[in-house]
Amino acid sequence: MNARIPPVTTVSARRLRHVVVSAIGMLMLGGAAASGESIRILDQLVMGESLLEGEKIGEFSALVRSPDGVVLGISDRGYIAELAIEITDERLVRLQPVALRVLAGPDDAPMRDTDFNPEAATILDDGTIAIASEVGPKLAVFDRDGRGLRAEDVPEPLRDAAKQASEKDGIEALAWTRDVEFVAMTEEPQLGAPRNLHTVHTTLAGSGQIAAEGPESISIKAMEVVGRQLFVLERTRDDVTDALYPFLRIVALHECLATATCVGRQLPIPVKDITDADFEGLVALDDGLFLMVSDDEIDGDLRSVFVLFRLE
């Protein structure tokens, strides 16, 4: 007997997990949130460069999950890819792009022919997808078929591109909640800000700062809001070997917005045997279960490393 959340199937030999769409909505928008003191890697899958509908598959800069349980990958190449995922005994037995939609503006012109460069995304209540361009910065809403519906304002402190650390250091991580609406972070602190202080910006509740202390500088790569907790995907780069190391930081979103500076808990994500993957996408699949993906180009070929992990 299988419990199916199309196209994500999760079956455990120890415990059959039944999750309905309404429960997913409670989890993502205000239900009980996952908490943990460590991260356990469940599985890793490396997807090499391939073609689907004439498009190269890869360069995923964001992962989102629709209200009906479909996982979508947002690519820097300007399209939305639907991913069919099957998880059995906490292993990725299938992860395959099965459909692709090129992002288009209201005039049906491909967004990749403009200066819109997808870098972060989130699902809204109605199932539409808000996608942020790191250049601009811009924020636009699309339907599942990739059709542009409208533009949205980014949080006010992020609207001036001259404050970005560089042209492409705009919004790198994006989420949405009913009470504060858009939540956004840049990859690097804005000009003039201390290197170790990363700011969480919201549409309705102002901003809060995360103190990211450590021997190496930290870059922000993605985020998820689950319940009232903010899960931030961070990355460090070894100054000597150039190795990349991902971390997950867990902070109480509203407490962080209400205080001058918050820290939360930073947990290493112990990816096995791969130190050149630049992880940029993160999505919550279930309470405590996450999937992340890298955006890599190795020797001229696209590569996507998917890592399934659980908070414990």
Side-chain angles (χ1 to χ4, degrees):
M1 179 179 178
N2 288 349
R4 186 166 182 80
I5 312 170
V8 179
T9 303
T10 304
V11 183
S12 170
R14 297 182 300 273
R15 179 167 64 99
L16 189 62
R17 187 186 307 275
H18 294 274
V19 184
V20 297
V21 171
S22 60
I24 295 286
M26 289 176 62
L27 172 67
M28 299 305 292
L29 297 174
S35 61
E37 298 300 328
S38 65
I39 288 174
R40 178 166 60 96
I41 300 296
L42 303 178
D43 204 6
Q44 298 177 192
L45 183 150
V46 178
M47 181 185 296
E49 184 175 303
S50 61
L51 290 176
L52 178 64
E53 300 177 21
E55 297 280 349
K56 289 185 178 181
I57 299 300
E59 294 189 73
F60 293 116
S61 55
L63 294 174
V64 298
R65 189 175 186 180
S66 67
D68 60 352
V70 177
V71 175
L72 306 169
I74 315 302
S75 172
D76 289 354
R77 304 182 72 84
Y79 59 72
I80 299 171
E82 181 177 320
L83 304 176
I85 301 173
E86 184 177 347
I87 301 169
T88 300
D89 291 336
E90 299 188 325
R91 299 296 301 274
L92 287 167
V93 297
R94 184 188 183 206
L95 198 160
Q96 179 183 0
V98 294
L100 185 148
R101 300 291 183 268
V102 173
L103 296 174
D107 58 357
D108 292 329
M111 295 294 287
R112 60 188 171 198
D113 293 342
T114 70
D115 60 353
F116 191 87
N117 184 11
E119 195 61 34
T122 190
I123 288 284
L124 305 182
D125 261 0
D126 60 2
T128 58
I129 308 162
I131 301 178
S133 169
E134 65 182 351
V135 177
K138 298 185 181 75
L139 184 58
V141 177
F142 300 83
D143 64 18
R144 283 269 292 274
D145 290 326
R147 291 188 294 260
L149 302 177
R150 65 183 183 275
E152 290 277 359
D153 288 331
V154 304
E156 194 278 330
L158 299 177
R159 294 174 190 172
D160 186 358
K163 295 180 180 179
Q164 295 177 185
S166 72
E167 180 185 8
K168 292 190 175 183
D169 278 316
I171 295 174
E172 185 77 13
L174 187 69
W176 189 90
T177 74
R178 290 177 179 173
D179 51 356
V180 304
E181 295 190 357
F182 288 109
V183 184
M185 298 181 71
T186 57
E187 182 171 7
E188 310 297 341
Q190 291 181 305
L191 292 176
R195 184 64 184 83
N196 69 315
L197 287 182
H198 288 273
T199 304
V200 180
H201 301 278
T202 72
T203 302
L204 300 180
S207 302
Q209 290 186 318
I210 296 176
E213 302 289 352
E216 298 166 325
S217 61
I218 289 173
S219 298
I220 303 301
K221 307 305 293 184
M223 69 164 66
E224 273 275 57
V225 173
V226 181
R228 300 180 70 82
Q229 289 185 309
L230 177 64
F231 296 82
V232 182
L233 179 61
E234 302 176 341
R235 187 210 67 197
T236 65
R237 183 187 298 271
D238 189 282
D239 293 335
V240 177
T241 66
D242 231 22
L244 304 176
Y245 299 104
F247 295 83
L248 187 71
R249 187 180 299 272
I250 308 169
V251 299
L253 176 59
H254 292 80
E255 291 179 16
C256 191
L257 295 173
T259 58
T261 304
C262 63
V263 177
R265 303 192 309 280
Q266 188 198 51
L267 306 176
I269 305 175
V271 177
K272 301 171 184 176
D273 303 323
I274 300 176
T275 59
D276 60 350
D278 190 5
F279 291 100
E280 294 203 349
L282 177 73
V283 64
L285 300 180
D286 198 352
D287 190 14
L289 183 66
F290 291 84
L291 181 71
M292 68 178 184
V293 65
S294 68
D295 174 0
D296 307 322
E297 184 173 331
I298 307 297
D299 297 328
D301 292 327
L302 303 184
R303 183 193 70 177
S304 304
V305 179
F306 289 87
V307 177
L308 184 70
F309 66 87
R310 182 176 293 283
L311 279 175
E312 296 186 327

